[in-house]
Coordinates of all heavy atoms in Angstrom, one line a residue:
M1 N -195.4 120.4 45.5 CA -194.5 121.1 44.6 C -193.1 121.1 45.4 O -193.1 121.5 46.5 CB -194.9 122.5 44.4 CG -194.3 123.3 43.2 SD -195.1 124.8 42.7 CE -194.2 126.1 43.7
A2 N -192.0 120.9 44.6 CA -190.7 121.0 45.2 C -190.4 122.4 45.6 O -190.7 123.4 44.9 CB -189.7 120.5 44.2
K3 N -189.6 122.5 46.8 CA -189.2 123.9 47.1 C -188.0 124.3 46.3 O -187.4 123.5 45.8 CB -188.8 123.7 48.7 CG -189.9 123.4 49.6 CD -189.4 123.4 51.0 CE -190.5 122.9 51.9 NZ -189.9 122.7 53.3
T4 N -187.7 125.5 46.3 CA -186.6 125.9 45.6 C -185.4 126.0 46.6 O -185.6 125.9 47.8 CB -186.7 127.5 45.0 OG1 -186.9 128.4 46.2 CG2 -187.9 127.5 44.1
E5 N -184.2 125.9 46.1 CA -183.0 125.9 47.0 C -183.0 127.0 48.0 O -182.7 126.8 49.1 CB -181.8 126.1 46.1 CG -180.4 125.8 46.8 CD -179.3 126.0 46.0 OE1 -179.3 126.7 45.0 OE2 -178.2 125.4 46.3
S6 N -183.3 128.3 47.6 CA -183.4 129.4 48.6 C -184.2 129.2 49.7 O -184.1 129.8 50.8 CB -183.6 130.6 47.8 OG -184.8 130.5 47.2
E7 N -185.2 128.4 49.6 CA -186.3 128.3 50.7 C -185.8 127.2 51.7 O -186.4 127.2 52.8 CB -187.6 127.8 50.1 CG -188.2 129.0 49.2 CD -189.5 128.4 48.5 OE1 -189.4 127.2 48.1 OE2 -190.4 129.2 48.3
I8 N -184.9 126.4 51.4 CA -184.4 125.3 52.3 C -183.3 125.8 53.2 O -182.3 126.3 52.8 CB -184.0 124.1 51.4 CG1 -185.1 123.6 50.6 CG2 -183.4 123.0 52.5 CD1 -184.8 122.4 49.7
T9 N -183.6 125.6 54.4 CA -182.6 126.1 55.5 C -182.0 124.6 56.2 O -182.5 123.6 56.0 CB -183.2 127.0 56.6 OG1 -184.3 126.2 57.1 CG2 -183.7 128.2 55.8
W10 N -181.0 124.9 57.1 CA -180.5 123.8 57.9 C -181.5 123.0 58.6 O -182.4 123.6 59.2 CB -179.4 124.4 58.8 CG -179.0 123.2 59.7 CD1 -179.3 123.0 61.0 CD2 -177.9 122.2 59.4 NE1 -178.7 121.9 61.5 CE2 -177.8 121.4 60.5 CE3 -177.3 121.9 58.2 CZ2 -177.0 120.4 60.5 CZ3 -176.5 120.7 58.3 CH2 -176.4 120.0 59.4
R11 N -181.4 121.7 58.6 CA -182.3 120.9 59.6 C -181.6 119.6 59.7 O -180.7 119.2 58.9 CB -183.7 120.8 58.8 CG -183.6 120.0 57.6 CD -184.8 120.0 56.9 NE -184.8 119.2 55.7 CZ -185.7 119.1 54.7 NH1 -186.7 119.8 54.8 NH2 -185.5 118.5 53.6
D12 N -181.9 119.0 60.9 CA -181.4 117.6 61.1 C -182.0 116.6 60.1 O -183.2 116.8 59.8 CB -181.7 117.3 62.5 CG -180.9 118.1 63.6 OD1 -179.7 118.5 63.2 OD2 -181.4 118.3 64.7
L13 N -181.3 115.6 59.9 CA -181.8 114.4 59.3 C -182.9 113.7 60.0 O -182.7 113.7 61.2 CB -180.7 113.5 58.7 CG -179.6 114.0 57.8 CD1 -178.4 113.0 57.7 CD2 -180.4 114.1 56.4
E14 N -183.8 113.2 59.4 CA -184.8 112.2 60.1 C -184.0 111.1 60.6 O -183.1 110.6 60.2 CB -185.9 111.8 59.1 CG -186.6 113.0 58.3 CD -187.5 113.6 59.2 OE1 -188.1 113.0 60.2 OE2 -187.9 114.8 58.8
I15 N -184.6 110.6 61.8 CA -184.2 109.3 62.4 C -184.1 108.3 61.4 O -185.2 108.0 60.7 CB -185.0 109.0 63.6 CG1 -184.8 110.1 64.7 CG2 -184.6 107.6 64.2 CD1 -185.7 110.0 65.9
G16 N -183.0 107.6 61.3 CA -182.9 106.5 60.3 C -182.6 107.0 58.9 O -182.6 106.3 58.0
L17 N -182.3 108.2 58.9 CA -182.0 108.9 57.5 C -182.9 108.7 56.5 O -182.6 108.4 55.2 CB -180.6 108.3 57.0 CG -179.4 108.5 58.0 CD1 -178.1 107.9 57.3 CD2 -179.1 109.9 58.4
V18 N -184.2 108.7 56.9 CA -185.4 108.4 55.9 C -185.5 109.7 55.2 O -185.6 110.8 55.6 CB -186.6 108.2 56.7 CG1 -187.8 108.1 55.8 CG2 -186.5 107.0 57.5
V19 N -185.6 109.5 53.9 CA -185.8 110.8 52.9 C -187.3 110.9 52.8 O -188.0 110.0 52.2 CB -185.3 110.4 51.5 CG1 -185.5 111.6 50.6 CG2 -183.7 110.4 51.6
T20 N -187.9 111.9 53.4 CA -189.4 112.1 53.2 C -189.9 112.9 52.2 O -191.1 113.0 51.9 CB -189.9 112.7 54.5 OG1 -189.1 114.0 54.7 CG2 -189.5 111.9 55.9
E21 N -188.8 113.4 51.3 CA -189.3 114.2 50.2 C -188.5 113.7 49.0 O -187.4 114.1 48.6 CB -189.0 115.7 50.3 CG -189.7 116.3 51.5 CD -189.2 117.7 51.8 OE1 -188.0 118.0 51.4 OE2 -189.8 118.5 52.4
P22 N -188.9 112.5 48.3 CA -188.2 112.0 47.2 C -188.1 113.0 46.1 O -188.9 113.7 45.9 CB -189.1 110.8 46.8 CG -190.0 110.5 47.8 CD -190.1 111.9 48.8
G23 N -186.8 112.9 45.6 CA -186.5 113.7 44.3 C -186.1 115.3 44.9 O -186.0 116.1 44.0
N24 N -185.7 115.4 46.1 CA -185.4 116.8 46.7 C -184.0 117.0 46.3 O -183.5 118.2 46.5 CB -185.8 116.9 48.0 CG -184.8 116.0 48.9 OD1 -183.9 115.4 48.5 ND2 -185.0 116.2 50.3
A25 N -183.1 116.2 45.6 CA -181.8 116.5 45.4 C -181.7 117.7 44.4 O -180.7 118.5 44.3 CB -181.1 115.3 44.7
K26 N -182.7 117.9 43.6 CA -182.7 119.0 42.5 C -182.7 120.4 43.3 O -182.5 121.5 42.7 CB -183.7 118.9 41.5 CG -185.1 119.0 42.1 CD -186.1 118.8 40.9 CE -187.5 118.6 41.5 NZ -188.6 118.4 40.4
C27 N -183.0 120.4 44.6 CA -183.1 121.6 45.4 C -181.8 122.0 46.0 O -181.7 123.0 46.7 CB -184.1 121.4 46.6 SG -185.7 121.1 45.9
Y28 N -180.8 121.1 45.8 CA -179.4 121.4 46.4 C -178.4 121.5 45.3 O -178.3 120.7 44.3 CB -179.1 120.2 47.3 CG -180.1 120.2 48.5 CD1 -181.2 119.3 48.4 CD2 -179.9 120.9 49.7 CE1 -182.1 119.2 49.4 CE2 -180.8 120.9 50.7 CZ -181.9 120.0 50.5 OH -182.9 119.9 51.6
K29 N -177.4 122.4 45.5 CA -176.3 122.5 44.5 C -175.4 121.4 44.8 O -174.3 121.6 45.4 CB -175.6 123.9 44.8 CG -174.6 124.2 43.7 CD -173.9 125.5 43.9 CE -172.9 125.7 42.9 NZ -172.1 127.0 43.0
T30 N -175.6 120.2 44.3 CA -174.8 119.0 44.6 C -173.4 119.2 43.8 O -172.5 118.5 44.1 CB -175.5 117.7 44.3 OG1 -176.1 117.8 42.9 CG2 -176.7 117.5 45.2
G31 N -173.5 120.0 42.8 CA -172.3 120.2 41.9 C -171.0 120.8 42.7 O -169.9 120.6 42.2
D32 N -171.2 121.4 43.7 CA -170.1 122.0 44.5 C -169.4 121.0 45.4 O -168.3 121.3 46.0 CB -170.5 123.2 45.3 CG -171.5 122.9 46.5 OD1 -171.8 121.7 46.7 OD2 -171.9 123.8 47.2
W33 N -169.7 119.7 45.2 CA -169.0 118.6 45.8 C -167.7 118.2 45.0 O -166.7 117.5 45.5 CB -169.8 117.3 46.0 CG -171.1 117.5 46.9 CD1 -171.5 118.6 47.5 CD2 -172.0 116.5 47.2 NE1 -172.6 118.3 48.2 CE2 -173.0 117.0 47.9 CE3 -172.2 115.1 46.7 CZ2 -174.1 116.4 48.4 CZ3 -173.2 114.4 47.2 CH2 -174.2 115.0 48.0
K34 N -167.8 118.5 43.8 CA -166.9 117.8 42.9 C -165.5 118.5 42.8 O -165.3 119.8 43.1 CB -167.4 117.8 41.4 CG -167.6 119.3 40.7 CD -168.1 119.0 39.3 CE -168.5 120.4 38.8 NZ -169.6 121.0 39.4
S35 N -164.5 117.9 42.5 CA -163.1 118.4 42.2 C -162.7 118.3 40.7 O -161.7 118.9 40.4 CB -162.1 117.6 43.1 OG -162.1 116.2 42.8
L36 N -163.4 117.3 40.0 CA -163.1 117.2 38.5 C -164.6 117.6 37.9 O -165.6 117.5 38.4 CB -162.8 115.8 38.2 CG -161.6 115.3 38.8 CD1 -161.4 113.9 38.4 CD2 -160.4 116.1 38.3
K37 N -164.3 118.0 36.6 CA -165.6 118.2 35.7 C -165.5 117.8 34.4 O -164.2 117.8 33.9 CB -165.9 119.7 35.7 CG -164.8 120.6 35.1 CD -165.3 122.2 35.1 CE -164.0 123.0 34.4 NZ -164.3 124.5 34.6
P38 N -166.5 117.4 33.7 CA -166.3 116.9 32.4 C -166.3 118.0 31.3 O -167.0 119.1 31.3 CB -167.7 116.0 32.3 CG -168.7 116.8 33.0 CD -167.9 117.4 34.2
I39 N -165.3 117.7 30.3 CA -165.2 118.7 29.2 C -165.5 118.0 27.9 O -164.9 116.8 27.7 CB -163.8 119.3 29.2 CG1 -163.6 120.1 30.4 CG2 -163.6 120.1 27.9 CD1 -164.5 121.4 30.5
L40 N -166.3 118.5 27.1 CA -166.7 117.8 25.9 C -165.8 118.2 24.7 O -165.6 119.4 24.4 CB -168.1 118.0 25.5 CG -168.6 117.5 24.3 CD1 -168.7 116.1 24.2 CD2 -170.1 118.1 23.9
D41 N -165.4 117.3 23.9 CA -164.7 117.5 22.6 C -165.7 117.2 21.5 O -166.0 116.1 21.2 CB -163.5 116.5 22.4 CG -162.8 116.7 21.0 OD1 -163.3 117.5 20.3 OD2 -161.6 116.2 20.9
R42 N -166.3 118.3 21.1 CA -167.4 118.2 20.1 C -167.0 117.5 18.8 O -167.9 117.0 18.0 CB -168.0 119.7 19.7 CG -168.7 120.2 20.9 CD -169.1 121.7 20.7 NE -169.7 122.2 21.9 CZ -171.0 122.5 22.0 NH1 -171.8 122.4 20.9 NH2 -171.6 123.0 23.1
E43 N -165.7 117.5 18.5 CA -165.3 116.9 17.2 C -165.3 115.3 17.3 O -165.5 114.7 16.3 CB -163.8 117.3 17.0 CG -163.5 118.8 16.7 CD -164.2 119.2 15.4 OE1 -164.1 118.5 14.3 OE2 -164.8 120.2 15.3
R44 N -165.3 114.8 18.5 CA -165.3 113.5 18.8 C -166.8 112.8 19.1 O -167.0 111.6 19.0 CB -164.4 113.0 19.9 CG -162.9 113.3 19.6 CD -162.0 112.9 20.8 NE -161.9 111.4 20.9 CZ -160.9 110.7 20.3 NH1 -159.8 111.4 19.8 NH2 -160.8 109.5 20.4
C45 N -167.6 113.8 19.4 CA -169.0 113.3 19.9 C -169.8 112.9 18.7 O -169.8 113.5 17.6 CB -169.7 114.5 20.6 SG -171.4 114.1 21.1
V46 N -170.5 111.7 18.9 CA -171.3 111.2 17.9 C -172.8 111.2 18.3 O -173.7 110.4 17.7 CB -170.9 109.8 17.4 CG1 -169.5 109.7 16.8 CG2 -170.9 108.8 18.7
H47 N -173.2 111.9 19.3 CA -174.5 112.2 19.8 C -175.2 110.9 20.1 O -176.4 110.9 19.9 CB -175.3 112.9 18.7 CG -174.6 114.1 18.1 ND1 -174.6 115.4 18.6 CD2 -173.7 114.3 17.1 CE1 -174.0 116.2 17.9 NE2 -173.4 115.6 17.0
C48 N -174.6 109.9 20.6 CA -175.1 108.7 21.1 C -176.1 108.9 22.3 O -176.9 108.1 22.5 CB -174.1 107.6 21.2 SG -173.1 107.9 22.6
G49 N -175.6 109.8 23.2 CA -176.5 109.9 24.5 C -176.2 109.0 25.5 O -176.8 109.1 26.6
L50 N -175.1 108.3 25.4 CA -174.7 107.3 26.5 C -174.3 108.1 27.8 O -174.6 107.7 28.9 CB -173.6 106.4 26.1 CG -174.1 105.3 25.1 CD1 -172.8 104.5 24.8 CD2 -175.1 104.4 25.8
C51 N -173.7 109.2 27.6 CA -173.3 110.1 28.7 C -174.6 110.6 29.5 O -174.7 110.5 30.8 CB -172.6 111.3 28.3 SG -173.4 112.2 27.0
Y52 N -175.7 110.9 28.8 CA -176.9 111.2 29.4 C -177.5 110.0 30.1 O -178.0 110.2 31.3 CB -177.9 111.6 28.3 CG -179.3 111.8 28.6 CD1 -179.8 112.9 29.4 CD2 -180.2 110.8 28.3 CE1 -181.1 113.0 29.8 CE2 -181.5 111.0 28.7 CZ -182.0 112.1 29.3 OH -183.3 112.2 29.8
I53 N -177.5 108.9 29.5 CA -178.1 107.5 30.1 C -177.3 107.2 31.3 O -177.8 106.7 32.4 CB -178.1 106.5 29.0 CG1 -179.1 106.9 27.9 CG2 -178.4 105.2 29.7 CD1 -179.0 106.0 26.7
F54 N -176.0 107.2 31.3 CA -175.3 106.7 32.4 C -174.9 107.7 33.6 O -174.8 107.2 34.8 CB -173.8 106.3 32.0 CG -173.9 104.9 31.4 CD1 -173.9 104.6 30.1 CD2 -173.8 103.7 32.4 CE1 -173.9 103.4 29.5 CE2 -173.8 102.5 31.7 CZ -173.8 102.3 30.3
C55 N -175.2 109.0 33.4 CA -175.0 109.9 34.5 C -176.0 109.7 35.6 O -177.1 109.8 35.4 CB -175.1 111.4 34.0 SG -175.1 112.6 35.3
P56 N -175.4 109.4 36.8 CA -176.3 109.1 38.0 C -177.0 110.2 38.4 O -178.0 110.1 39.3 CB -175.3 108.5 39.0 CG -174.0 109.0 38.6 CD -174.0 109.2 37.2
D57 N -176.6 111.4 38.1 CA -177.3 112.6 38.5 C -178.2 113.3 37.7 O -178.7 114.3 37.7 CB -176.2 113.7 39.0 CG -175.6 113.2 40.5 OD1 -176.3 113.2 41.4 OD2 -174.6 112.7 40.3
M58 N -178.3 112.6 36.5 CA -179.1 113.2 35.4 C -178.7 114.7 35.1 O -179.6 115.6 34.8 CB -180.7 113.2 35.7 CG -181.2 111.8 35.9 SD -181.2 110.9 34.3 CE -182.6 111.7 33.5
A59 N -177.4 114.9 35.0 CA -176.8 116.2 34.8 C -177.0 116.7 33.3 O -176.8 117.8 33.1 CB -175.5 116.3 35.4
Y60 N -177.0 115.6 32.5 CA -176.9 115.9 31.1 C -178.3 116.4 30.4 O -179.2 115.8 30.8 CB -176.3 114.9 30.3 CG -174.9 114.8 30.3 CD1 -174.0 113.9 31.1 CD2 -174.0 115.5 29.4 CE1 -172.7 113.9 31.1 CE2 -172.6 115.5 29.4 CZ -172.0 114.7 30.3 OH -170.6 114.7 30.3
S61 N -178.1 117.2 29.6 CA -179.4 117.6 28.6 C -178.8 117.9 27.4 O -177.8 118.5 27.2 CB -180.3 118.6 29.3 OG -179.6 119.8 29.5
P62 N -179.5 117.7 26.3 CA -179.1 118.1 24.8 C -179.2 119.6 24.7 O -180.2 120.2 25.2 CB -180.1 117.3 23.9 CG -181.3 117.0 24.7 CD -180.8 116.9 26.2
D63 N -178.3 120.2 23.9 CA -178.5 121.5 23.5 C -179.1 121.6 22.1 O -179.4 120.6 21.6 CB -177.1 122.3 23.6 CG -176.2 121.8 22.5 OD1 -176.5 121.0 21.6 OD2 -174.9 122.2 22.5
Q64 N -179.2 122.8 21.6 CA -180.0 122.9 20.3 C -179.2 122.2 19.2 O -179.8 122.1 18.1 CB -180.2 124.5 20.2 CG -178.8 125.2 20.0 CD -179.0 126.6 20.2 OE1 -180.1 127.1 20.7 NE2 -178.1 127.5 19.8
D65 N -178.0 121.9 19.3 CA -177.2 121.3 18.3 C -177.2 119.8 18.4 O -176.4 119.2 17.6 CB -175.8 121.9 18.1 CG -175.9 123.4 17.8 OD1 -176.6 123.8 17.0 OD2 -175.1 124.2 18.5
G66 N -177.7 119.3 19.4 CA -177.7 117.8 19.7 C -176.5 117.3 20.5 O -176.3 116.2 20.6
F67 N -175.8 118.2 21.0 CA -174.7 117.8 22.0 C -175.3 117.8 23.4 O -176.0 118.6 23.8 CB -173.5 118.9 21.9 CG -172.8 118.9 20.6 CD1 -173.0 119.8 19.7 CD2 -171.7 117.8 20.3 CE1 -172.3 119.8 18.5 CE2 -171.1 117.9 19.1 CZ -171.5 118.9 18.2
F68 N -174.8 116.8 24.0 CA -175.2 116.6 25.5 C -174.3 117.3 26.3 O -173.0 117.2 26.3 CB -175.2 115.1 25.9 CG -176.3 114.4 25.2 CD1 -176.3 113.9 24.0 CD2 -177.6 114.2 25.8 CE1 -177.4 113.3 23.3 CE2 -178.7 113.5 25.3 CZ -178.6 113.1 24.0
I69 N -174.8 118.3 27.2 CA -174.0 119.2 28.0 C -174.3 118.9 29.4 O -175.5 118.9 29.8 CB -174.3 120.7 27.6 CG1 -174.3 120.9 26.2 CG2 -173.5 121.6 28.4 CD1 -172.8 120.7 25.6
A70 N -173.3 118.8 30.3 CA -173.4 118.6 31.6 C -173.7 119.9 32.4 O -173.0 120.8 32.2 CB -172.2 117.9 32.3
D71 N -174.9 119.9 33.3 CA -175.1 121.0 34.1 C -174.2 121.0 35.3 O -174.4 120.1 36.2 CB -176.6 120.9 34.4 CG -176.9 122.2 35.3 OD1 -176.1 123.0 35.9 OD2 -178.2 122.4 35.4
L72 N -173.2 121.7 35.4 CA -172.1 121.7 36.4 C -172.7 122.1 37.8 O -172.2 121.9 38.7 CB -171.0 122.6 36.1 CG -170.2 122.1 34.9 CD1 -169.0 122.9 34.5 CD2 -169.8 120.7 34.9
Y73 N -174.0 122.7 37.8 CA -174.7 122.9 39.1 C -175.0 121.6 39.8 O -174.9 121.5 41.1 CB -175.9 123.7 38.9 CG -176.5 124.2 39.9 CD1 -176.2 125.5 40.3 CD2 -177.5 123.6 40.8 CE1 -176.8 126.2 41.4 CE2 -178.2 124.2 41.8 CZ -177.8 125.6 42.2 OH -178.3 126.1 43.2
Y74 N -175.1 120.5 39.0 CA -175.6 119.2 39.6 C -174.5 118.2 39.5 O -174.5 117.2 40.2 CB -176.9 118.7 39.0 CG -178.0 119.7 39.4 CD1 -178.7 120.4 38.4 CD2 -178.5 119.8 40.6 CE1 -179.8 121.3 38.6 CE2 -179.5 120.7 41.0 CZ -180.2 121.3 40.0 OH -181.1 122.2 40.3
C75 N -173.5 118.2 38.5 CA -172.6 117.2 38.2 C -171.7 117.1 39.5 O -171.2 118.1 40.0 CB -171.8 117.7 37.0 SG -170.2 116.8 36.9
K76 N -171.5 115.9 39.9 CA -170.6 115.6 41.1 C -169.3 115.2 40.8 O -168.5 114.9 41.6 CB -171.2 114.5 42.0 CG -172.6 115.0 42.6 CD -173.0 113.9 43.6 CE -174.4 114.3 44.1 NZ -175.3 113.0 43.8
G77 N -168.9 115.1 39.4 CA -167.6 114.9 39.0 C -167.2 113.3 39.0 O -165.9 113.2 39.2
C78 N -168.1 112.6 39.0 CA -167.8 111.2 39.3 C -166.9 110.4 38.1 O -166.3 109.4 38.3 CB -169.0 110.4 39.5 SG -170.1 110.3 38.0
G79 N -167.1 111.1 36.9 CA -166.3 110.7 35.7 C -167.0 109.5 35.0 O -166.4 108.9 34.1
I80 N -168.2 109.0 35.5 CA -168.8 107.8 34.7 C -169.0 108.1 33.3 O -168.9 107.3 32.4 CB -170.1 107.5 35.5 CG1 -169.8 106.8 36.7 CG2 -170.8 106.4 34.7 CD1 -171.1 106.6 37.6
C81 N -169.4 109.5 33.0 CA -169.7 109.8 31.6 C -168.5 109.6 30.7 O -168.6 109.1 29.6 CB -170.3 111.2 31.5 SG -169.3 112.4 32.4
A82 N -167.4 110.0 31.2 CA -166.1 110.0 30.5 C -165.7 108.4 30.3 O -165.1 108.1 29.3 CB -164.9 110.7 31.3
Q83 N -166.0 107.7 31.2 CA -165.7 106.2 31.2 C -166.5 105.6 30.1 O -166.0 104.7 29.4 CB -165.9 105.5 32.6 CG -165.6 104.1 32.8 CD -163.9 103.9 32.5 OE1 -163.3 104.6 33.0 NE2 -163.6 102.7 31.9
E84 N -167.7 105.9 30.1 CA -168.7 105.1 29.3 C -168.8 105.8 27.8 O -169.3 105.1 26.9 CB -170.0 105.3 29.8 CG -170.2 104.6 31.2 CD -169.9 103.0 31.1 OE1 -170.2 102.4 30.0 OE2 -169.5 102.5 32.1
C85 N -168.3 107.0 27.5 CA -168.3 107.5 26.2 C -167.6 106.7 25.2 O -166.4 106.5 25.4 CB -167.8 109.0 26.3 SG -167.7 109.7 24.6
P86 N -168.1 106.2 24.2 CA -167.5 105.2 23.3 C -166.4 105.8 22.5 O -165.5 105.2 21.9 CB -168.6 104.7 22.5 CG -169.7 105.8 22.5 CD -169.6 106.4 23.8
T87 N -166.5 107.2 22.2 CA -165.5 107.9 21.4 C -164.4 108.7 22.1 O -163.6 109.4 21.7 CB -166.2 108.7 20.3 OG1 -166.9 109.8 21.2 CG2 -167.1 108.0 19.5
K88 N -164.6 108.5 23.5 CA -163.6 109.4 24.4 C -163.6 110.8 24.2 O -162.7 111.5 24.1 CB -162.2 108.8 24.4 CG -162.0 107.3 24.6 CD -162.5 107.0 26.0 CE -162.5 105.5 26.3 NZ -163.2 105.2 27.5
A89 N -165.0 111.2 24.0 CA -165.2 112.8 23.8 C -165.2 113.5 25.0 O -165.2 114.8 25.1 CB -166.4 112.9 23.0
I90 N -165.2 112.8 26.1 CA -165.4 113.6 27.5 C -164.0 113.4 28.2 O -163.6 112.2 28.4 CB -166.5 113.1 28.3 CG1 -167.8 113.3 27.5 CG2 -166.6 113.7 29.6 CD1 -169.0 112.5 28.1
T91 N -163.5 114.5 28.7 CA -162.3 114.3 29.5 C -162.6 115.1 30.8 O -163.3 116.2 30.9 CB -161.1 115.2 28.9 OG1 -160.9 114.7 27.6 CG2 -159.8 115.1 29.7
M92 N -162.3 114.4 31.9 CA -162.3 115.0 33.3 C -161.1 115.8 33.6 O -160.0 115.4 33.5 CB -162.5 113.9 34.3 CG -163.6 113.0 34.0 SD -165.3 113.8 34.0 CE -165.5 114.4 35.8
V93 N -161.5 117.2 33.9 CA -160.3 118.0 34.3 C -160.7 118.6 35.7 O -161.7 118.5 36.1 CB -160.2 119.1 33.2 CG1 -160.0 118.5 31.8 CG2 -161.3 120.0 33.2
P94 N -159.5 119.1 36.3 CA -159.8 119.8 37.6 C -160.7 120.9 37.5 O -160.8 121.6 36.5 CB -158.4 120.2 38.0 CG -157.4 119.2 37.4 CD -158.1 118.9 36.0
E95 N -161.5 121.0 38.6 CA -162.6 122.1 38.6 C -162.2 123.4 38.2 O -163.0 124.0 37.5 CB -163.1 122.1 40.0 CG -164.2 123.1 40.3 CD -165.5 122.8 39.8 OE1 -165.7 122.3 38.5 OE2 -166.5 122.9 40.5
E96 N -160.9 123.8 38.5 CA -160.5 125.2 38.1 C -160.1 125.4 36.8 O -159.9 126.4 36.3 CB -159.5 125.7 39.2 CG -158.3 124.9 39.2 CD -158.2 123.6 40.2 OE1 -159.3 123.4 40.6 OE2 -157.3 123.0 40.3
E97 N -159.9 124.3 36.0 CA -159.4 124.4 34.6 C -160.5 124.3 33.7 O -161.6 123.8 33.9 CB -158.5 123.2 34.2 CG -157.2 123.3 35.0 CD -156.2 122.1 34.5 OE1 -156.5 121.4 33.5 OE2 -155.4 121.7 35.4
E98 N -160.3 124.7 32.4 CA -161.3 124.7 31.3 C -160.8 123.6 30.2 O -159.7 123.7 30.0 CB -161.6 126.0 30.7 CG -162.7 125.9 29.6 CD -164.0 125.5 30.2 OE1 -164.5 125.9 31.2 OE2 -164.7 124.6 29.4
Ligands
SF4_1 S1 -171.4 109.6 25.2 FE1 -169.7 110.7 24.1 S2 -170.3 110.4 22.0 FE2 -172.1 109.9 23.3 S3 -173.3 111.8 23.2 FE3 -172.0 111.7 25.1 S4 -170.1 112.9 24.6 FE4 -171.2 112.4 22.8
SF4_2 S1 -169.0 113.3 36.0 FE1 -170.6 112.1 36.8 S2 -172.1 113.4 37.6 FE2 -170.9 114.7 36.2 S3 -171.8 114.7 34.3 FE3 -170.4 112.9 34.3 S4 -171.5 111.1 35.1 FE4 -172.7 112.9 35.6

């Protein structure tokens, strides 16, 4: 069972940078690396799901209305979703802006 973020403390990387616990990225707040964040224009979204498919961090999930929403706790701000969105419904803005 994966540990929760609060249970993980500082430790040295394994020799050779071997990841001994595959899938452990969900235990870390990787979203605090970003300087940009994706903002969705719901008027332009056609619910195609390409943002979900292309996001390398699997940060997107659909909400109850069928819009794909990025979880900013994990989003690293790479902008791939904005690049791949066919209707340009996603805009990357500085982290402090809405
Ligand atoms: S890729 Fe763009 S149009 Fe498609 S679901 Fe995501 S935001 Fe909507
Ligand atoms: S900016 Fe990058 S990490 Fe964040 S939701 Fe878009 S594709 Fe995923």
Side-chain angles (χ1 to χ4, degrees):
M1 191 168 99
K3 296 176 182 177
T4 63
E5 184 183 26
S6 61
E7 294 173 322
I8 296 174
T9 57
W10 171 261
R11 64 186 179 195
D12 289 331
L13 289 168
E14 301 285 337
I15 295 174
L17 305 180
V18 175
V19 177
T20 56
E21 299 167 339
N24 69 3
K26 64 184 175 185
C27 301
Y28 298 91
K29 187 181 180 184
T30 53
D32 62 2
W33 300 359
K34 67 180 171 299
S35 57
L36 298 174
K37 63 182 177 184
I39 297 297
L40 174 65
D41 179 347
R42 290 173 183 250
E43 297 295 318
R44 299 181 73 99
C45 179
V46 294
H47 309 271
C48 66
L50 287 177
C51 49
Y52 167 80
I53 292 169
F54 277 98
C55 175
D57 287 290
M58 296 293 292
Y60 276 100
S61 59
D63 69 7
Q64 59 199 18
D65 299 318
F67 290 101
F68 287 84
I69 306 300
D71 185 340
L72 299 181
Y73 194 88
Y74 296 113
C75 165
K76 294 188 188 125
C78 67
I80 292 174
C81 53
Q83 181 69 34
E84 297 299 331
C85 175
T87 62
K88 301 302 175 198
I90 301 170
T91 305
M92 300 301 294
V93 302
E95 174 76 311
E96 59 277 4
E97 288 182 23
E98 185 59 44

